[in-house]
Amino acid sequence: MKPIIKYILIVFVILLAATSLVALFESPLTKQAVISLPELVTKINSGEVKTIAVKGENLEVVLANDESILAKKEAGISVFETLINLGAEKDKLAKTNIEIQEPSGLTVFLVNILPAILPFALIVLIFWFMFRQAQKGSMQAFTFGRSRAKLAGSGQKKITFKDVAGLIEAKEEISEVVEFLRDPKKFHKLGAHIPRGILLVGTPGTGKTMLAKAVANEAEVPFYFVSGSEFVEMFVGVGANRVRDTFDMAKKTAPSIVFIDEIDAVGRHRGAGLGGGHDEREQTLNQILVDMDGFDTNDAVIVMAATNRPDILDPALLRPGRFDRRIVLEDPSMKDREEILKIHSTDKPLAKDVNLKLVAERTPGFSGADLANLINEAAILAARKNQKEIIQENLLQAIEKVMLGPERRSHAFTKKEKEITAYHEAGHALVATFMPHTDPVHKVSIISRGRAGGYTLKLPTEDKHLRSKSEFESELSVLLGGYVAEKLVFKELTTGASNDLKVASELARKMVTQFGMSDKLGAVVYKQGEELVFLGKEMSGEKSYSETTAFAIDQEISKLISNALKKARELLTKKLDILTKVAKTLIEKEVLEQKEYYALVK
């Protein structure tokens, strides 16, 4: 309806312009005095009138002193007859120069013909637009099942393997594909066949799509990219038809690569969703399976796909001959994080004393996307302060902003709340300092960030892939350190420890039910509920263990929490003077950096 309204408005504007033109032609450019016909007759009889120009019913009169005036006569009556009837002297009238002026063709057209034509023109325009839309809709019906895959072109930013830091093993695996496409004879001589499908698996932000972009530029062959969701439509058969069309395009330009991003949108386990065997998503998946490895298989078309949920993909999709190579992209190591930071800071003015290695040490668990966001946040912080370059402090503040959220200095504590928060965070920090198997404290703050009233930042000195029972037990004590400090100093509890208790309870439950760290229950995994594939998350359901075992699990969890509380209480009781000193310094300064904190503790 919007285009129709637009055309109607255009026609309305044209009519308005035409009306204005008519008024312009009909009216004189200068403002003239208007007199009555008897007054005109008096002036004629007195010899004051030089000429009279008759334009329809308008009489444009020029007097002897060259003054112009205007008079109007009755329509359909001669000007001579009108003036004589009103008493004009014939000899005086004969001496007056009277000119009869016919209207121009344009004026006649604008006044008489245009108002009659425009309504018909408006109706014709509306019908033309309706037929045009109908024709466009019929053409779309024929092209609805066409592929939405796009060809990676020169308009995009060129990304190569050099621009992808880390992922050494992943790049080696995927480089074989690029080498095969460049020189297939090298592999064919030994009877080797390149994998038809390569599945990139990794958590969000690890660089799956970026690695695919690098392959598109390195391979020097046609690279088609499409999202898994673009195959699924509300109409039956459209997704399967788009899959066929995508592979037909790739076969015509073979050797080529087809990249399907977020393939779990169509590749989920069949038979577990809604809609039965005729579900449109399942039909689309069936067509992908056939085109990848069916009767008519084309070895020159390689399919790449990316997902962060390989556990929910259909087994037929993962079998050899289809996605027979799985490349896992993990979170970057400390060295890789430093390289990623260097790549993302190439176009940003960094101060000479910026130490990216220190930033890499403080960002364990950060993905490539998180690190890119960190550099961007540091640039924003520097711009806010009108700095000409990004300094180390900007980067360190950006880490905390990405991890915890922005500072909320407007969130003012009362004097009592500030004191409780200071002792709470000091409790966390001291337990983390004096308990074995814990990470060093980097910062303690009672300035609110995100939803946290305060925070203790402790980070590992090196990347860890395995965690021991001793480390988890110490972590439980650290989590409960704030709770113990509040109870020890103020003899009552607040809601400030609610999140710590939640995290500690979840960790203790995992130790018992998933990690086999309970001597009483042994090396058994106790799982509650079944994983529903079409929802992609664990739902509560029937327990896979008895009520007796459930009671034993609760006892073991309670035992772990009690032991952690006991250790934290004993430690803070012995270090009560240091706890008080740290808390009072926090109340005064609000933030303690690593050096200041350890100076107080020692």
Side-chain angles (χ1 to χ4, degrees), residues 508-509 512-513 518 520-521 525-527 543 545-560:
R509 181 168 291 277
V512 174
T513 60
S518 167
K520 184 177 180 181
L521 293 170
V525 173
Y526 298 95
K527 194 173 183 181
K543 294 187 182 80
Y545 46 87
S546 66
E547 290 299 325
T548 305
T549 305
F551 179 70
I553 288 171
D554 291 340
Q555 281 187 317
E556 288 296 293
I557 292 170
S558 179
K559 182 180 174 183
L560 286 170

Side-chain angles (χ1 to χ4, degrees), residues 93-265:
L93 195 59
K95 292 179 181 178
T96 306
N97 183 19
I98 299 177
E99 299 176 358
I100 308 297
Q101 297 181 358
E102 294 292 332
S104 65
L106 179 62
T107 305
V108 173
F109 174 77
L110 291 174
V111 175
N112 300 318
I113 301 174
L114 190 62
I117 290 176
L118 278 177
F120 289 103
L122 177 61
I123 294 170
V124 170
L125 187 64
I126 291 172
F127 273 100
W128 171 79
F129 176 76
M130 290 171 63
F131 281 118
R132 182 169 172 269
Q133 289 296 104
Q135 186 178 12
K136 186 188 292 185
S138 64
M139 292 301 294
Q140 285 179 345
F142 289 107
T143 61
F144 194 70
R146 294 288 298 275
S147 171
R148 300 291 178 89
K150 301 176 184 68
L151 184 65
S154 58
Q156 299 176 344
K157 182 183 176 182
K158 289 284 185 182
I159 295 175
T160 62
F161 285 148
K162 292 181 180 178
D163 300 317
V164 183
L167 305 176
I168 298 170
E169 294 81 6
K171 286 191 286 188
E172 285 178 358
E173 288 280 323
I174 214 161
S175 294
E176 290 182 6
V177 179
V178 176
E179 194 175 351
F180 173 81
L181 292 170
R182 288 177 177 172
D183 185 16
K185 292 181 181 179
K186 175 182 174 181
F187 295 87
H188 288 159
K189 284 177 183 178
L190 298 173
H193 295 280
I194 202 72
R196 291 197 184 96
I198 298 167
L199 186 65
L200 303 176
V201 179
T203 53
T206 47
K208 300 183 293 294
T209 307
M210 181 174 283
L211 192 59
K213 289 179 182 177
V215 174
N217 293 318
E218 294 276 356
E220 297 177 359
V221 296
F223 186 95
Y224 299 94
F225 60 94
V226 64
S227 170
S229 60
E230 292 187 63
F231 290 121
V232 183
E233 289 284 353
M234 62 182 290
F235 301 108
V236 177
V238 171
N241 195 44
R242 286 181 179 174
V243 170
R244 284 192 294 271
D245 193 47
T246 301
F247 277 87
D248 286 342
M249 285 169 55
K251 288 173 185 176
K252 288 176 183 176
T253 57
S256 58
I257 300 175
V258 175
F259 175 64
I260 306 174
D261 204 1
E262 304 295 345
I263 195 172
D264 48 276

Side-chain angles (χ1 to χ4, degrees), residues 390-442:
I390 301 168
I391 60 174
Q392 188 78 26
E393 184 63 26
N394 300 141
L395 291 165
L396 298 180
Q397 287 179 0
I399 293 172
E400 295 172 28
K401 187 175 181 181
V402 171
M403 290 174 68
L404 302 168
E407 282 189 355
R408 294 192 299 153
R409 290 187 177 272
S410 60
H411 181 67
F413 287 118
T414 63
K415 186 178 179 181
K416 185 67 174 177
E417 286 176 337
K418 191 173 183 180
E419 189 180 5
I420 292 170
T421 305
Y423 274 98
H424 182 102
E425 296 305 328
H428 283 308
L430 283 180
V431 177
T433 303
F434 293 105
M435 284 291 290
H437 312 294
T438 56
D439 299 323
V441 175
H442 280 258

Side-chain angles (χ1 to χ4, degrees), residues 575-592:
K575 308 286 184 182
L576 188 59
D577 54 336
I578 301 177
L579 176 71
T580 304
K581 186 165 63 171
V582 172
K584 286 183 177 179
T585 309
L586 271 175
I587 293 169
E588 181 186 347
K589 294 188 175 182
E590 293 188 338
V591 177
L592 284 176

Side-chain angles (χ1 to χ4, degrees), residues 41-55:
V41 169
T42 303
K43 289 184 180 295
I44 291 171
N45 291 338
S46 61
E48 296 178 32
V49 177
K50 186 191 294 184
T51 61
I52 299 175
V54 182
K55 295 182 179 179

